[in-house]
């Protein structure tokens, strides 16, 4: 080392190849990224005690049901995308299904024919929950550690309690959440401390939930779907005019589906098939952008954002028309992903001007989606990868806590078109392919995704955020592949979202005013928003694994 180092050299010496911004969490062997530190710890401990990524995912899912009650759940459902170290991948659909009594017009007011709030709030809003069956299925087929050991961290967190985070304590106090939750006495008792509210850092214990989790540990999913838990849940439903019966619970099955696979600029994309609309969306949007050279104008530039927005708008028009539960409606996946079709969509993008949505396709937008879901990404030392998005749909779901059982129920029925052919709550028309039918699965935007490079695992990505899930996942992947960001920068970068209707471009309020001005000049109607999405992502970069949680929330990445 020379004695005197000029200033500019010193900088490069001290910051070798360091990119500006928060650095990802680095590890050599394995990584867990979730929405919440206790859940991350449960996953990491599972990996370090001999579990694989699937075991860790199960432990995380049960832990989040305790520590992140707005979205983590026993009473909801979701999707698990797995890529095994062998290179094989699979998709477990444990999303809620419509109860047997469900019918197309069940959420229309008979007097006015207009949609009611019943698909969003209260006992009638819930689809049959899938999480417990889904976790058991994933574990039985792909897990390694004993089932019981995967429930123990969650049981301990529920029984002994954990210090409430700033974010959760504020969320529970917020006018919006507390008013909705206070309508249900059991929910008010448990989550609002009977109206007194829990403080930041106060220990939050959930003895009812601990008991339920112990039964699931000791008797398996059978207890939840056929045994004591099922009987209590069905009785509570019956007492409150809910739709879910013992028969519905008994009939619930997780469905293993083939992943959707495609590529972008030579990288492999492994992603979510219908009833997720996300995988089709991701591949359509990638297809529309590929070969345009949109990225040459640089990350965050008005031109690159314009191109992304135009691709989003075109995909979302198709989503409303064609996507639904493939077991009930024919979803033309290969047509939607046909390269010639995608090229014809690409050809209509004008680099200088936004195409008004009304000129793209008159049609319907699917159901209202909002406010809380959660994603976690896990890679183990053997190279198995798991990407899970699961949810109650809205924050704290339907607001209902099953009496005596301690867990919240979903309001996933609202992801159906509750009024096909009628404007929805936002004045939009809804899709016929997503109409309600008994045992049908509501269309989802959840998009757990894995990217491969030269046939090897490269990235694990996913997010909550309703329709913004699909566009967040797309932008994070593009930030790495096209704009050469590390995993953390890719997650931190400001996001935009267009969903065709309404014809406005949502832009996070961290985007520069000059950029927004240039987007306006291209004809976009701008809607400034707070954070969109909460991405949990992992990238394998040579020797190192990069974990990136989302600074928009209290996300947490840890590895070893
Ligand atoms: O499955 C879906 O698309 C929605 N139920 C997801 C809702 C959601 O992401 C809310 N989160 N922020």
């Amino acid at each position: 080392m020379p004695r005197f180092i000029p200033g500019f050299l010193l900088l490069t010496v001290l910051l070798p190849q360091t990119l500006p911004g928060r650095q990802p969490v680095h590890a050599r062997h394995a990584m867990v990224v979730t929405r919440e530190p206790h859940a991350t710890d449960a996953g990491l401990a599972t990996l370090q005690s001999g579990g694989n990524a699937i075991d860790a995912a199960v432990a995380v899912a049960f832990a989040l049901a305790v520590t992140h009650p707005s979205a983590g759940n026993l009473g909801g459902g979701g999707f698990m995308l797995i890529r095994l170290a062998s290179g094989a991948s699979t998709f477990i659909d444990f999303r809620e299904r419509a109860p047997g009594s469900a019918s197309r017009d069940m959420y229309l007011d008979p007097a006015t024919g207009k949609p009611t709030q019943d698909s969003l709030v209260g006992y009638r809003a819930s689809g049959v929950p899938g999480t417990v069956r889904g976790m058991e299925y994933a574990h039985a087929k792909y897990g390694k550690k004993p089932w019981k050991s995967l429930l123990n961290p969650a049981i301990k967190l529920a029984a002994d309690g954990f210090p409430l985070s700033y974010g959760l304590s504020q969320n529970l106090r917020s006018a919006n959440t507390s008013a909705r939750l206070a309508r249900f006495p059991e929910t008010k008792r448990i989550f609002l401390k009977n109206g007194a509210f829990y403080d930041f850092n106060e220990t939050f214990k959930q003895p009812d939930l601990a008991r339920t989790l112990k039964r699931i540990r000791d008797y398996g999913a059978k207890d939840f779907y056929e045994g004591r838990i099922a009987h209590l849940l069905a009785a509570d439903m019956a007492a409150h005019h809910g739709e879910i019966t013992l028969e519905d619970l008994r009939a619930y099955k997780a469905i293993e589906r083939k992943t959707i696979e495609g590529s972008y600029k030579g990288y492999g994309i492994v992603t979510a098939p219908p009833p997720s609309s996300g995988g089709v969306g991701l591949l359509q949007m990638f297809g529309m952008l590929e070969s345009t050279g949109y990225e040459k104008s640089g990350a965050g530039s008005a031109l690159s954002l314009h191109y992304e927005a135009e691709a989003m708008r075109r995909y979302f028009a198709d989503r409303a028309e064609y996507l639904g539960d493939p077991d009930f409606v024919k979803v033309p996946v290969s047509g939607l992903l046909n390269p010639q079709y995608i090229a014809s969509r690409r050809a209509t993008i004008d680099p200088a001007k936004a195409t008004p949505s009304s000129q793209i396709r008159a049609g319907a937008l699917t159901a209202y989606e909002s406010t809380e879901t959660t994603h976690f990404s896990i890679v183990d030392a053997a190279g198995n990868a798991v990407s899970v998005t699961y949810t109650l749909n809205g924050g704290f779901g339907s607001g209902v806590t099953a009496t005596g059982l301690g867990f919240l129920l979903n309001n996933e029925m609202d992801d159906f078109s509750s009024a096909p052919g009628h404007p929805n709550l936002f004045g939009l028309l809804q899709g016929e392919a997503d109409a309600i039918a008994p045992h049908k699965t509501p269309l989802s935007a959840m998009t757990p995704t894995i990217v491969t490079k030269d046939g090897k695992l490269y990235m694990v990505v996913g997010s909550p955020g309703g329709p913004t899930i699909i566009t967040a996942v797309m932008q994070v992947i593009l930030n790495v592949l096209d704009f050469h960001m590390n995993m953390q920068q890719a997650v931190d970068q400001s996001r935009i979202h267009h969903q065709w209707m309404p014809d406005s471009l949502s832009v996070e309020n961290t985007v520069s005013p000059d950029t927004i001005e240039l987007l306006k000049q291209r004809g976009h109607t701008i809607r400034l928003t707070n954070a969109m999405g909460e991405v949990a992502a992992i990238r394998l970069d040579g020797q190192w694994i990069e974990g990136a949680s989302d600074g928009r929330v209290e996300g947490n990445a840890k590895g070893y």
Side-chain angles (χ1 to χ4, degrees):
M1 266 265 215
R3 223 163 256 203
F4 172 75
I5 305 173
F8 69 91
L9 259 185
L10 190 66
L11 260 183
T12 47
V13 170
L14 290 180
L15 303 171
Q17 296 178 343
T18 304
L19 298 163
R22 194 155 67 101
Q23 295 307 302
V25 171
H26 286 94
R28 287 272 188 211
H29 306 288
M31 183 70 69
V32 180
V33 189
T34 84
R35 173 61 173 74
E36 199 281 327
H38 298 91
T40 297
D41 289 343
L44 196 64
T46 304
L47 293 179
Q48 287 179 311
S49 57
N52 65 15
I54 293 88
D55 294 319
V58 172
V60 167
F62 284 120
L64 284 169
V66 179
T67 58
H68 185 46
S70 61
N73 67 81
L74 302 181
F79 299 138
M80 179 184 288
L81 175 68
I82 300 174
R83 185 179 187 275
L84 298 170
S86 66
S89 47
T90 190
F91 182 82
I92 300 171
D93 163 2
F94 58 96
R95 188 156 164 81
E96 302 87 333
R97 323 272 177 227
S101 63
S103 61
R104 188 186 166 88
D105 295 338
M106 65 189 283
Y107 296 117
L108 298 186
D109 181 327
T112 62
K114 297 228 167 83
T116 63
Q117 288 291 306
D118 285 6
S119 65
L120 282 167
V121 188
Y123 279 83
R124 294 189 70 228
S126 302
V128 184
T131 295
V132 178
R133 191 77 96 195
M135 291 308 118
E136 188 178 76
Y137 181 98
H139 171 259
K141 194 151 173 195
Y142 300 104
K144 205 161 109 177
K145 278 194 85 175
W147 170 253
K148 293 188 178 192
S149 68
L150 307 181
L151 271 293
N152 281 334
I155 292 169
K156 191 166 161 37
L157 286 163
D160 300 350
F162 63 96
L164 216 60
S165 72
Y166 172 79
L168 179 52
S169 63
Q170 292 303 107
N171 189 0
L172 287 167
R173 266 166 200 273
S174 71
N176 222 335
T177 301
S178 62
R180 199 155 42 88
L181 299 190
R183 289 172 56 175
F184 304 98
E186 187 78 342
T187 308
K188 183 175 174 186
R189 175 176 72 81
I190 295 173
F191 295 97
L192 305 182
K193 206 177 175 183
N194 244 334
F197 295 114
Y198 286 95
D199 266 332
F200 172 31
N201 261 333
E202 186 172 348
T203 302
F204 178 44
K205 295 186 185 181
Q206 299 171 79
D208 307 76
L209 180 57
R211 253 194 327 274
T212 297
L213 287 164
K214 275 185 196 153
R215 293 193 68 87
I216 297 171
R217 176 191 65 189
D218 297 340
Y219 308 114
K222 202 168 175 2
D223 198 71
F224 190 97
Y225 291 96
E226 296 177 42
R228 186 175 158 72
I229 300 174
H231 280 85
L232 288 173
L233 177 54
D236 197 35
M237 279 278 158
H240 295 91
H241 311 289
E243 306 282 339
I244 298 173
T245 63
L246 196 55
E247 200 32 61
D248 288 326
L249 288 164
R250 267 201 196 112
Y252 186 91
K253 285 193 180 56
I255 304 172
E256 190 162 358
R257 300 182 187 272
K258 258 175 77 76
T259 54
I260 289 195
E261 306 201 4
S263 67
Y264 180 66
K265 294 189 175 167
Y267 290 84
I269 310 288
V270 183
T271 183
S276 168
S277 58
V280 167
L282 207 56
L283 293 177
Q284 262 208 357
M285 293 188 290
F286 283 155
M288 283 185 251
L289 291 173
E290 193 161 5
S291 80
T292 59
Y294 86 102
E295 72 279 11
K296 293 197 184 93
S297 55
S301 64
L303 184 60
S304 68
L305 297 180
H306 169 73
Y307 261 102
E308 290 176 10
E310 290 301 299
M312 292 172 188
R313 179 201 307 272
R314 282 158 179 76
Y315 153 65
F316 270 96
D318 278 354
R319 179 190 195 267
E321 183 80 19
Y322 295 116
L323 283 146
D325 179 355
D327 298 336
F328 282 73
V329 293
K330 172 126 190 50
V331 183
V333 173
S334 56
L336 291 166
L337 296 182
N338 178 303
Q340 268 125 36
Y341 171 67
I342 292 178
S344 72
R345 299 290 271 180
R346 184 196 305 127
T348 66
I349 298 178
D350 180 344
K353 219 169 156 306
T355 314
S357 288
S358 56
Q359 285 176 21
I360 287 182
R361 185 191 292 272
L365 187 78
T366 50
Y368 162 87
E369 294 155 307
S370 77
T371 58
E372 274 287 356
T373 294
T374 192
H375 181 85
F376 50 96
S377 295
I378 300 174
V379 172
D380 69 21
N384 301 298
V386 179
S387 186
V388 177
T389 315
Y390 81 149
T391 186
L392 293 166
N393 190 30
F396 305 94
S398 66
V400 170
T401 303
T403 305
L405 295 171
F407 64 87
L408 284 153
L409 287 155
N410 69 82
N411 58 354
E412 216 73 55
M413 291 296 283
D414 197 68
D415 272 351
F416 281 116
S417 305
S418 47
H422 291 255
N424 76 354
L425 291 167
F426 293 88
L428 299 167
L429 293 176
Q430 306 203 21
E432 188 61 43
D434 191 33
I436 307 176
H439 311 298
K440 190 175 171 184
T441 310
L443 181 63
S444 175
M446 294 185 288
T447 315
T449 296
I450 287 172
V451 179
T452 61
K453 184 180 179 180
D454 303 326
K456 294 205 194 78
L457 181 64
Y458 184 55
M459 226 189 299
V460 186
V461 194
S463 177
T468 70
I469 292 172
I470 312 170
T471 51
V473 169
M474 174 187 89
Q475 289 168 87
V476 169
I477 295 174
L478 294 176
N479 287 341
V480 175
L481 303 192
D482 281 343
F483 300 116
H484 314 294
M485 298 184 192
N486 68 34
M487 196 72 262
Q488 190 63 59
Q489 290 174 309
V491 170
D492 291 347
Q493 177 78 7
S494 301
R495 297 181 193 134
I496 59 162
H497 173 73
H498 202 301
Q499 59 179 42
W500 176 53
M501 295 285 189
D503 190 349
S504 62
L505 180 60
S506 301
V507 174
E508 281 185 332
N509 56 24
T510 45
V511 170
S512 83
D514 313 31
T515 310
I516 290 173
E517 194 46 45
L518 290 168
L519 286 165
K520 282 186 184 160
Q521 283 171 19
R522 282 191 162 78
H524 291 282
T525 304
I526 303 295
R527 196 172 76 89
L528 276 185
T529 68
N530 290 327
M532 290 189 285
E534 307 168 7
V535 172
I538 298 174
R539 179 169 80 129
L540 288 86
D541 181 25
Q543 297 274 299
W544 291 100
I545 306 176
E546 293 178 351
S549 61
D550 205 323
R552 290 166 178 81
V553 290
E554 294 165 327
N556 186 261
K558 286 196 188 101
Y560 75 93

